[in-house]
Amino acid sequence: MAEFMTETEQSSPVVPHPGTTGERRGRAGGSDAGPYDGQEAAALLERTRTLVDPELRAALESLPGSLRRIALYHFGWQHADGTPARDNAGKAIRPALVLAAAAALGGPTAQAAAVRAAVAIELVHNFTLLHDDVMDRDTSRRHRPTVWSVFGDADAILAGDALQALALRLLAEDPHPASAPAAARLADCVVELCAGQHADTDMERRAPDEVTLDEVLAMSEAKTGALLGCACALGALYAGAGDEDVAALDGFGRQAGLAFQLIDDVIGIWGDPRHTGKPAGADLASRKKSLPVVAALSSGAPAAAELAALYAEPYVSGDAEGVVRTALAVERAGGRDWAQTEAADRMARAVQELSRAVPAPEAADGLLALAEFVTRRTG
Amino acid sequence: MAEFMTETEQSSPVVPHPGTTGERRGRAGGSDAGPYDGQEAAALLERTRTLVDPELRAALESLPGSLRRIALYHFGWQHADGTPARDNAGKAIRPALVLAAAAALGGPTAQAAAVRAAVAIELVHNFTLLHDDVMDRDTSRRHRPTVWSVFGDADAILAGDALQALALRLLAEDPHPASAPAAARLADCVVELCAGQHADTDMERRAPDEVTLDEVLAMSEAKTGALLGCACALGALYAGAGDEDVAALDGFGRQAGLAFQLIDDVIGIWGDPRHTGKPAGADLASRKKSLPVVAALSSGAPAAAELAALYAEPYVSGDAEGVVRTALAVERAGGRDWAQTEAADRMARAVQELSRAVPAPEAADGLLALAEFVTRRTG
């Protein structure tokens, strides 16, 4: 699953403020600061780490020695040799969504009660990262070598299995009345994440013209949207919310997750590597069937045929001109505009879902700030 | 984790009947029929399949199409192309232990209530099989090609992940008061299974003289004993048993699991392939650090040095004489006697644990019949 790049310069907001729902924002420069300047999100994320880390760390420390070392390396708390490392465990967006959702619907009491659920979400997220990296043969994660590349495939698979078990144990041991429905929902989400990753690995093997835009959208929703939705839904459950509000919070997270994925795909093609840490055009060089590319290929525009021909040939290492031509073809076939419009549309839907369950703007502020944080990237 | 070979001719009982606790039985021919002739176990297993299969099948059918197909193939209910296959889902020993433990401590009502827990145990068992086969590169399971060898590593990993989630979802959705402690216990067991598999893959990489007997015993308990113990403990929980009885049932399953592993290792060296389906000496040819081998190596007997020298050399394909010499060295160094004595000892401990929680012989009969079934193999 895509990781939110923590080093990305924050600008170009996609999230409309409540009241501007449905408004389309074009790709903007850094001047369009939007309603949230990122400081509220940063404060929420910092507070989340303070609340979540002790319980998360305790869960990992409960593992038998062999698995503990692998898990602590993955979370950035130890080097591969077992010596302590600087905390590099990521931004904790998902646990922050759990806590913000609980606070939005149930205030500070619900937020305090939901810490365990926030830890469970973070454990599940990291279990999928460990396994996805094995399947995708990704060698780097959060600027460090991935677990499989350091310890081997077996250790990465086993550590992931153990993290899933820890997540569901945390909820099973939680006496809160929401813990059982939360566990059932989280387990359902794991199945959806697996189906999303399966669709992704399957699509990688197919020719670009055999992949439809609906398929890529469904895959992105399962792979990225589902866990963000589940995080918000768990927060709602811990606030004692009814089915409709839980569903609305799930919808909010899902749509925000899709908006994030669309923006991430745009950056994978046109992003400035000085700002994103991701070389521009990397996704094109790897012939990735990202959302803008598949939108362009299925647009029926004249440039779609050119793009199809370019994608049919393997990338020749160092062919910067070929990458530029490919990016131009995606743009001329409308892939870039579509992705940006779709991202704004998804954020509008997210805000709409949220306003159904949380009508008071001040209660919704934390969730909106987080949603803007994850979708606000240098285009 | 080792699978109970369903085609094995049943004879040579290791399980002492209550009242003969502590009695050592030597390796016997088929004439020593013991207190259980296998018919009671066969009836229990058949009844378990009848109770468990509908719920198990429903759980698998709830998976998204892509994962469902992989899971149904693994359970032997579909061919790889998705067409229906003859049921070949294994003997269901672990769910039978759940139901027998529930019945022993809580009668028919508890047994009926524990079906979901029995399904959860079977799902966890199969999730570990899917992942272990990837790690161990095993190509055959229940006489069919393993999932990774048919669908690829990614599909095997994802299907395993989804089965773990299904198992814990079943318990999270179960309104029975035992479901939360059962889920916590099952999640703990998953962590222990992962640690056991980690120890196993780690020992495979080490030289035989760097592995101690205590390590191999601990690994076998985590890898094989833990899930059998958990199965019995879950049954006890669903019968409303107190902590001490739950612990005793866990101990019964663990010790019976270790006895099974010891017998399985003996068969891996001296077993008659006409009876076991496993070629005699296969474990020696692969230089497996099985319990009898490590016991022999650490015995201090003169034959231990000869065995160490033989194990230091890689197996030359077709060297039947070398295998015979190696088996003889294990035997002369006392590995065979040790394993058989230890197996009988473990079964005696299992029976002792059981009698603490279930003193009435008629109530204990089902569990004892199952324990004898799994440890009763042609030597």
Side-chain angles (χ1 to χ4, degrees), chain B residues 72 146 256:
Chain B
L72 288 173
T146 46

Side-chain angles (χ1 to χ4, degrees), chain A residues 13-25 32-37 40 252 344 347-352 354-355 359-369 371-372 375:
Chain A
V14 187
V15 59
H17 198 252
T20 64
T21 301
E23 179 193 332
R24 297 283 196 284
R25 285 165 189 269
D32 185 358
Y36 301 102
D37 60 5
E40 182 170 1
F252 164 76
M347 271 315 299
R349 285 199 228 175
V351 172
Q352 216 164 13
L354 182 60
S355 66
E362 62 277 16
D365 251 18
L367 285 167
L368 288 168
E372 176 161 317
T375 54

Side-chain angles (χ1 to χ4, degrees), chain A residues 280-307:
Chain A
D283 284 356
L284 297 178
S286 69
R287 303 296 188 237
K288 187 175 164 187
K289 296 168 199 92
S290 67
L291 286 158
V293 167
V294 177
L297 285 169
S298 54
S299 65
E306 188 196 342
L307 176 60

Side-chain angles (χ1 to χ4, degrees), chain A residues 301-359:
Chain A
E306 188 196 342
L307 176 60
L310 286 161
Y311 250 53
E313 299 296 322
Y315 170 68
V316 180
S317 180
D319 180 15
E321 200 222 309
V323 169
V324 170
R325 274 178 58 208
T326 312
L328 208 60
V330 178
E331 188 155 10
R332 288 213 321 274
R336 185 176 192 162
D337 280 349
W338 172 84
Q340 277 160 342
T341 305
E342 186 75 15
D345 209 24
R346 296 289 179 167
M347 271 315 299
R349 285 199 228 175
V351 172
Q352 216 164 13
E353 293 273 14
L354 182 60
S355 66
R356 287 203 289 136
V358 189

